[in-house]
Each structure stands twice: as structure tokens, then as C-alpha cells.
Amino acid sequence: MLILLTACTSLQSNQSIIMDVSYHEARKIILQNGWKPAGGMPSYNKIGALAHHFRDIGYAEVQDCAGDGLSPCLFYFQNAKGEYLKIGTVGEDEGKLLYPRVVYAAIRDKID
């Protein structure tokens, strides 16, 4: 499992290791592979209620979440090379009706 995510740092396209996994489990794998929560995320007062929940549980990497529908959220990590790992999720966490699952993962050279 760890080898595939490490390959992502070389801009290879195999992020399947964390796809359709709960964000909480994917986050553990991401952190174990040397990625750190990216800095520069919007301040607490500029993000929505679901994003507040993630910040409150210590997930500083949350950029924001939509407040309706499938509650999509964006998260960013950064590695030692300066690359960013952008993670997209769908599903609510607070209501525990549908746990957030990773539906998007891509390497970026900046936060977009």
C-alpha cells in the first residue's frame, strides 16, 4: 500500500491506494508517507460548518466544504519536494450518515 502512494510523489498517476477509502483512513496513509498538512488554508471564519468540524478534530489541511448535496470537501497536503496533494471527498462526517470518502486525488504544483 505505501509503495503506491510514494509513487504519487513522482507525479505518477496511480493514486488508487486511497481512492474510495474513508478520508480518515486515507489521511493516515498520506501522513505515513511523509506528506504534511499544507499551510495557507483559509482562516476558520472563512470556511463552512463541515470544514469547521474537520478543523476542530485537528485536520488543518481542509480548504473548505460545500454545505449541501454530498458535502464535497477539499484537502491539501505538501511533501518535502514542495508538491501538493489535492484530495477531494464526498460525504458528511458530523451527521455520520455517510462518511467522507476520497473521490479525487491529484498532485499539483500549487494550491488551486
Side-chain angles (χ1 to χ4, degrees), residues 6-74:
T6 302
C8 294
T9 64
S10 300
L11 297 176
Q12 295 180 8
S13 61
N14 192 355
Q15 290 96 358
S16 62
I17 186 71
I18 58 173
M19 295 303 291
D20 202 34
V21 172
S22 82
Y23 180 71
H24 306 295
E25 290 303 313
R27 185 178 192 271
K28 290 176 191 174
I29 295 167
I30 292 165
L31 294 172
Q32 288 172 353
N33 281 276
W35 293 88
K36 305 285 184 215
M41 295 297 102
S43 64
Y44 193 83
N45 64 342
K46 292 185 178 182
I47 58 176
L50 184 54
H52 286 172
H53 166 73
F54 286 112
R55 290 268 177 93
D56 291 346
I57 62 172
Y59 292 5
E61 67 274 10
V62 65
Q63 183 183 45
D64 204 358
C65 301
D68 58 2
L70 292 176
S71 302
C73 295
L74 289 176

